[in-house]
Amino acid sequence: MKTIIEPFRIKSVEPIRMTTRAEREAYLREAGFNPFLIHARHVLIDLLTDSGTGAMSSEQWAGVMRADESYAGAESFFRFHHVMHEIAGFDHILPTHQGRASERILFEIIGGSDLVVPSNAHFDTTRANIEHSGATAIDLPIPEATDPRTRHPFKGNMNIAALEELIERIGPERIPVVMLTVTNNSGGGQPVSLENIRAVRKVCDRRGLRFFLDACRFAENAWFIKQREAKQHERPVRAIVREMFDLADGATISAKKDGLVNIGGVLLFRDRALFQKASNLLILTEGYVTYGGLAGRDLEAMAQGFNEVVEEDYLGYRIRSTEYLGEKLLAAGIQIVEPPGGHAIYIDAKAFCPHIPVEQFPGQALVCGLYRAGGIRSCEIGSVMFGGAGRPAPKMELVRLAIPRRVYTQSHIDYVIEAAIEVHKQRAEMRGLRIVEAPQVLRHFTARFEEV
Ligand code: F0G
């Protein structure tokens, strides 16, 4: 069969509320043209993020009821530990409340002033935690990554020559870890090839460096490897996932993505001494080592979620439904970051509304347009997010349509496509924005705008 269907039945439903265009206009103005400030009940299709917004399975909910809430040594912890060990192969496993908690602990231990942490592309919380420790975060993507139109099967790859050049220039002693984000979220949800992960490992071995994965979307990355990389097609996803982790010395994970849970994170180590330092910090601020700031039921849900996310029927459907959205937008003349990513489609806002200059935030204007047209909430990834405070404008002005896992059906996605096409047809009427109020850092969350 050609049709790829949702590989699940729906057992529990949650109503979403339709709004009129006039209501949405009022909500948008009340929120200062910033959808982060709109009440979720006024959103019809919420594509703000794929993080913590997924639907849990009946087995995960059953685990929630079965959970052991003991303070220390809970059975739920050992179930979680067993699953994580099977999937990733690490012996030293800490649960945390979400990805950035893992990052905060890791960089408190290995970060520090005068140090430099290279990556294919750091996510903003990773960058912020690295900088908070006094170190500098550097992105080393391949050149293809910054052109939305270039089709490269592994656009998330790290530029290996640039990594070697950096090590040569500043010296390995200033690099506490080399990181790879799989898939590369900031770069369009694009995957990293196994060949590239192996190449980073080789460089790290040669220069005596640590290598960690930011593995939030490890299963989606492995699926792309299976589909696109030579000699990987016949391998089970679980084997590819295992090789990805086997190549690393550790990993930070936000389980809110491929853990298929609403809250949770993981910190993995090969090295026992580092693990012990991290355990002490975890106890100081998160909780005891067998729960890490979570409830036993969260550990149960994660254990089951990590097992479900590597199921190939699920991954086939997941990646295909994102690709379907991307293909339909492209066919309608809407430029996206090509090829479609794993967890999201990124619309090229500069191409969408060329009449709006970068200083008037074309991405934010498009975000407002999608909300007005269809009650769809999306997220600007461009000058609003990365600009301000004297920083240079980013290379791309993007709008991310992030797809929550197992939440929306194909008809929801068809609706999103229809709304986007309607906005595109009337794009000449879209207006730019100016900021009227914004904090110094992470301004995209709370800034208020007015139309120019
Ligand atoms: N690393 C990556 C690649 C991420 O995408 C995220 C979160 C984190 C780390 C931090 O994890 O939120 O659990 O603390 N990304 C979300 C997003 C917020 O919308 O892309 P967290």
Side-chain angles (χ1 to χ4, degrees):
M1 299 291 278
K2 252 182 68 198
T3 306
I4 295 185
I5 59 164
E6 289 86 5
F8 46 79
R9 293 188 292 191
I10 296 168
K11 181 172 267 176
S12 176
V13 298
E14 184 187 357
I16 46 178
R17 199 179 138 253
M18 298 284 181
T19 45
T20 64
R21 198 171 173 114
E23 283 172 333
R24 292 195 291 273
E25 190 63 44
Y27 296 142
L28 195 59
R29 284 172 191 278
E30 252 166 58
F33 298 93
N34 185 351
F36 272 103
L37 304 177
I38 293 178
H39 289 222
R41 71 171 185 279
H42 298 147
V43 172
L44 186 64
I45 309 266
D46 204 344
L47 307 183
L48 189 63
T49 178
D50 65 317
S51 180
T53 51
M56 294 216 293
S57 67
S58 47
E59 278 306 311
Q60 284 178 293
W61 284 112
V64 165
M65 286 307 294
R66 260 198 314 270
D68 175 356
E69 301 294 350
S70 304
Y71 187 94
E75 205 41 43
S76 300
F77 170 75
F78 293 109
R79 254 194 298 275
F80 159 74
H81 193 282
H82 175 77
V83 169
M84 218 54 237
H85 176 75
E86 243 182 19
I87 285 183
F90 287 89
D91 290 330
H92 303 309
I93 300 170
L94 291 173
T96 60
H97 80 269
Q98 63 183 77
R100 67 197 73 178
S102 301
E103 293 161 4
R104 203 269 304 160
I105 292 170
L106 178 65
F107 290 106
E108 196 163 326
I109 302 171
I110 66 170
S113 54
D114 220 35
L115 302 178
V116 175
V117 181
S119 170
N120 49 345
H122 291 286
F123 182 67
D124 33 349
T125 59
T126 324
R127 173 180 303 279
N129 275 294
I130 290 167
E131 290 173 354
H132 185 69
S133 81
T136 305
I138 290 193
D139 292 345
L140 303 172
I142 55 171
E144 289 87 344
T146 50
D147 177 7
R149 286 164 191 79
T150 309
R151 283 207 171 228
H152 184 292
F154 294 102
K155 231 173 162 175
N157 281 355
M158 182 182 262
N159 184 337
I160 300 293
L163 174 65
E164 291 189 297
E165 188 276 326
L166 175 80
I167 301 170
E168 202 51 50
R169 185 157 47 81
I170 68 168
E173 59 291 342
R174 286 183 61 201
I175 302 178
V177 66
V178 176
M179 289 198 81
L180 263 185
T181 312
V182 295
T183 57
N184 178 354
N185 184 9
S186 316
Q190 302 289 329
V192 179
S193 70
L194 206 46
E195 191 190 13
N196 194 253
I197 305 176
R198 289 178 186 143
V200 172
R201 174 77 264 170
K202 257 200 199 133
V203 172
C204 289
D205 281 344
R206 226 175 22 245
R207 309 305 301 254
L209 294 175
R210 260 189 219 113
F211 170 34
F212 270 54
L213 294 176
D214 174 341
C216 295
R217 300 177 180 86
F218 68 94
E220 293 175 2
N221 198 86
W223 181 255
F224 280 117
I225 289 174
K226 183 177 168 91
Q227 301 305 306
R228 296 181 182 171
E229 194 159 344
K231 301 205 217 62
Q232 301 301 320
H233 201 65
E234 301 302 323
R235 283 179 88 187
V237 161
R238 270 182 181 273
I240 298 172
V241 164
R242 184 55 190 270
E243 184 176 347
M244 286 165 54
F245 281 111
D246 281 350
L247 287 162
D249 299 308
T252 56
I253 304 181
S254 166
K256 299 171 73 172
K257 286 82 171 172
D258 276 352
L260 298 177
V261 288
N262 305 115
I263 195 72
V266 192
L267 183 52
L268 301 168
F269 293 101
R270 201 78 64 198
D271 181 80
R272 188 172 162 76
L274 269 188
F275 165 70
Q276 276 171 335
K277 279 189 192 166
S279 302
N280 294 338
L281 270 180
L282 187 83
I283 293 171
L284 194 66
T285 58
E286 296 274 312
Y288 188 58
V289 291
T290 59
Y291 72 86
L294 295 170
R297 51 183 167 274
D298 300 320
L299 296 168
E300 287 286 346
M302 269 207 286
Q304 180 62 24
F306 279 123
N307 264 332
E308 289 176 9
V309 82
V310 290
E311 281 173 13
E312 305 200 358
D313 283 351
Y314 161 75
L315 284 168
Y317 136 79
R318 165 80 179 153
I319 301 302
R320 175 62 195 140
S321 65
T322 308
E323 184 184 52
Y324 173 85
L325 170 59
E327 280 173 358
K328 294 279 178 180
L329 295 182
L330 271 174
I334 299 174
Q335 185 62 48
I336 61 164
V337 172
E338 295 182 66
H343 66 293
I345 292 299
Y346 297 67
I347 299 177
D348 179 350
K350 267 194 221 173
F352 198 102
C353 27
H355 63 291
I356 301 179
V358 166
E359 305 73 58
Q360 290 178 16
F361 309 119
Q364 194 71 15
L366 176 52
V367 164
C368 293
L370 289 170
Y371 180 72
R372 273 194 177 108
I376 297 157
R377 180 152 71 169
S378 55
C379 183
E380 193 260 15
I381 301 193
S383 285
V384 175
M385 190 180 269
F386 299 122
R391 282 185 288 263
K395 290 210 172 85
M396 299 190 279
E397 299 290 333
L398 303 174
V399 168
R400 185 179 77 170
L401 307 176
I403 320 291
R405 293 170 181 77
R406 309 191 291 203
V407 170
Y408 295 116
T409 63
Q410 176 154 350
S411 70
H412 290 119
I413 297 296
D414 283 329
Y415 172 89
V416 172
I417 294 162
E418 195 181 327
I421 292 174
E422 189 189 307
V423 179
H424 192 242
K425 280 191 184 134
Q426 290 159 15
R427 62 191 179 278
E429 289 160 30
M430 281 169 58
R431 290 161 65 186
L433 297 153
R434 83 166 70 86
I435 291 183
V436 289
E437 198 186 305
Q440 278 297 310
V441 285
L442 295 173
R443 64 180 181 173
H444 57 289
F445 290 121
T446 52
R448 298 182 71 86
F449 302 82
E450 63 185 18
E451 284 187 309
V452 176

